[in-house]
Amino acid sequence: MKVVIGQGSCGIATGAKKTENAFTEQIKKHNVDVELTVTGCVGTCYLEPIVDVYEDDGKLTRYVKVQPDKVEKIVEEHLKGGKIVSDYAIDVEDQQFLAKQERVVLRHCGLINPEIIDEYIAVGGYESSRKVLTSMTQDEVIDIIKTSNLRGRGGAGFPTWFKWNAAKGNLGKEKYIVCNADEGDPGAFMDRSVLEGDPHSLLEGMIIGGFAMGATEGIIYCRAEYPLAIKRLEIAMEQAREKGFLGDNIFGTGKHFDIRIKAGAGAFVCGEETALIASLEGERGMPRLKPPFPAAKGYWQLPTNINNVETFANVAWIIENGGEAFAKLGKGPSTGTKVFALAGKIKKGGLVEVPMGLSVKDVIFNIGGGIKNDRKFKAVQMGGPSGGCIPADISETPVTYEDIVKTGAIVGSGGMIVMDEDTCMVDMARYFLDFTKKESCGKCNYCRIGTKRMLEILERITQGKGEDGDIEKLEELANKIKDGSMCGLGQTAPNPVLSTIRYFRNEYEDHIYNHTCTAKSCKALIRYEIKDNCVGCTRCAKNCPVQAITGEVKGKHVIDQSICIKCGKCEDNCNFGAVVRI
């Protein structure tokens, strides 16, 4: 029997280390003969800490939200007594979260120990790279990737085979293959999960890609804010070297290929490939004009190819199953699967992997379980700060590169931030623009100054100080920033603003002309009042941090608007619906 505890960042954050310690203690106390091990995130982040119990015949029982106080009962009744503790086990509805997915990138996440290479090898790991290195040509590998039509999963959706082929065709005394693991979108954690849960799939993809383009060195550019990912990558690389999969004479072929890690400082702009290369070279992360493209002159002016984590994690599966099998997944030119991070006002937050072509609505409701507290679905922000808002009334849009861009958003790296009726779309646009303004490298005047001017207008609007013509000013600035910026950060920074104006213009107009927040969210435009059905329980007064509420016990209470800081604690603590936002 084996007990596996999910220890991705999400599991650890919810107490998985304490759960592991409790299992160690209880297993010893009850003298139970079981193997205790760890794994990465299986995707159901909302159910962490997760504990999987495997019987000797392979039967799996999954326990969810396992805090230390639940451990002794599991050990006593299940591990020792052979009886499943049904109260702690995952229910049928939550099982559907995984059952409705098609997992390629995440196929091993949550199932193997990422720190033990033999577990990866046991599920077919490194067989694809062995096959490529020992029996295939560079052109044959590129042809398979071309047949699959694998496109870059970092945002732009550029054909992977084309980039590999371009780097292959350029001469250089050295060539480099780089993994962009600088995942910086708010609400996105797809790459982190792969790095923490299945690092060898990334290494194998880079080995194959390196062979295809003729590179001898690979570099993983990973943000320093991912310490667990870096730790598991380092372990994986060392184990791969010991097995002869990295270093000199890999797979006994006489070829050399090795990989190293460069920890980045978390600059969002370094997600742009030329800025990333500048950072690798020890310079400030700032983009440069293209051409020349990195495939011709990249790292140290030598041929360089850059793909992100998710792109590389598809490669071994494609080599194993064939390009046609991958191309059958998805819709039209958007082939394969895509990993999405579901966050925000959604019931089942976590990672999902689905064939491209599924509708936005299907992902949110059929897999993500719908909106938290059964509130009304309003919109979803796709593509992070570079993306845009897709409103509920067009949520039947298929998730493909071609269809999503028509809405004013982008697929991006795969972040989906779900919003309900209480979300102010003007404030949401302000939030994302604040992020991109801070992350601008400052090289382009339009990006550096234009985003600041746009943010100032949005801040005025959310504070109830909007002016006639502000919407038109935002649109004018947005278009100039898109046209005048050098790199993708500036060119896409206005997208959240433009898409919210496009679909929620009425909310901008309410803020400016009626001095009201449609969602009753912006503090400067709301107030709290106590209705006549107040029973005088005093809960609101006791929880008010500034003593703005007065009234007698069993008598109607009143809020002093001159003192109220609009924190909302009175509304949160009222059990009778007597406190309302206006």
Side-chain angles (χ1 to χ4, degrees), residues 176-178 206 215-220 257-261:
Y176 299 94
I177 189 163
V178 177
M206 292 184 71
T216 56
E217 184 176 350
I219 306 169
I220 301 171
F257 182 80
D258 210 344
I259 299 174
R260 62 183 172 88
I261 298 172

Side-chain angles (χ1 to χ4, degrees), residues 326-549:
F326 190 82
K328 286 179 182 176
L329 300 170
K331 178 186 176 185
S334 294
T335 60
T337 62
K338 182 73 189 79
V339 182
F340 293 100
L342 297 181
K345 304 293 185 66
I346 192 161
K347 288 181 179 178
K348 300 178 182 180
L351 292 175
V352 302
E353 184 174 1
V354 296
M356 297 198 78
L358 212 63
S359 75
V360 174
K361 189 175 182 179
D362 279 338
V363 175
I364 293 171
F365 285 90
N366 291 343
I367 298 177
I371 309 304
K372 193 177 292 185
N373 300 321
D374 294 320
R375 305 290 287 175
K376 185 179 178 181
F377 173 43
K378 188 172 189 177
V380 58
Q381 172 77 13
M382 280 195 66
S386 303
C389 285
I390 298 176
D393 57 6
I394 59 168
S395 61
E396 296 286 357
T397 300
V399 180
T400 67
Y401 291 104
E402 296 75 24
D403 290 304
I404 293 299
V405 77
K406 292 175 185 176
T407 70
I410 59 173
V411 172
S413 59
M416 279 192 179
I417 299 180
V418 181
M419 293 165 272
D420 66 10
E421 57 195 299
D422 292 333
T423 305
C424 173
M425 304 311 294
V426 184
D427 192 53
M428 181 59 68
R430 181 206 59 77
Y431 168 81
F432 281 111
L433 197 70
D434 179 61
F435 177 86
T436 48
K437 187 216 61 148
K438 290 173 179 174
E439 294 293 337
S440 170
C441 74
K443 188 170 186 176
C444 305
N445 286 343
Y446 275 113
C447 181
R448 182 181 71 248
I449 303 172
T451 54
K452 181 177 175 61
R453 295 288 91 87
M454 285 184 72
L455 180 61
E456 288 170 349
I457 295 172
L458 288 168
E459 286 176 338
R460 280 198 293 100
I461 293 173
T462 56
Q463 291 167 5
K465 301 175 183 177
E467 301 171 357
D468 186 28
D470 275 349
I471 298 175
E472 290 72 23
K473 286 178 187 175
L474 286 171
E475 291 175 321
E476 180 184 3
L477 282 167
N479 289 316
K480 288 182 176 178
I481 292 167
K482 288 171 74 74
D483 293 339
S485 296
M486 179 186 297
C487 84
L489 187 152
Q491 291 163 7
T492 60
N495 282 351
V497 180
L498 288 174
S499 62
T500 50
I501 290 176
R502 176 179 175 182
Y503 297 115
F504 299 96
R505 192 182 188 97
N506 65 301
E507 294 202 18
Y508 283 83
E509 291 171 345
D510 279 348
H511 281 70
I512 295 169
Y513 301 113
N514 302 325
H515 300 287
T516 59
C517 175
T518 314
K520 299 179 182 178
S521 173
C522 295
K523 282 189 177 182
L525 298 175
I526 63 170
R527 70 180 189 275
Y528 290 89
E529 289 188 357
I530 300 176
K531 298 191 297 183
D532 291 338
N533 63 324
C534 172
V535 298
C537 70
T538 75
R539 280 177 59 87
C540 59
K542 289 177 180 177
N543 284 280
C544 179
V546 293
Q547 289 80 50
I549 303 174

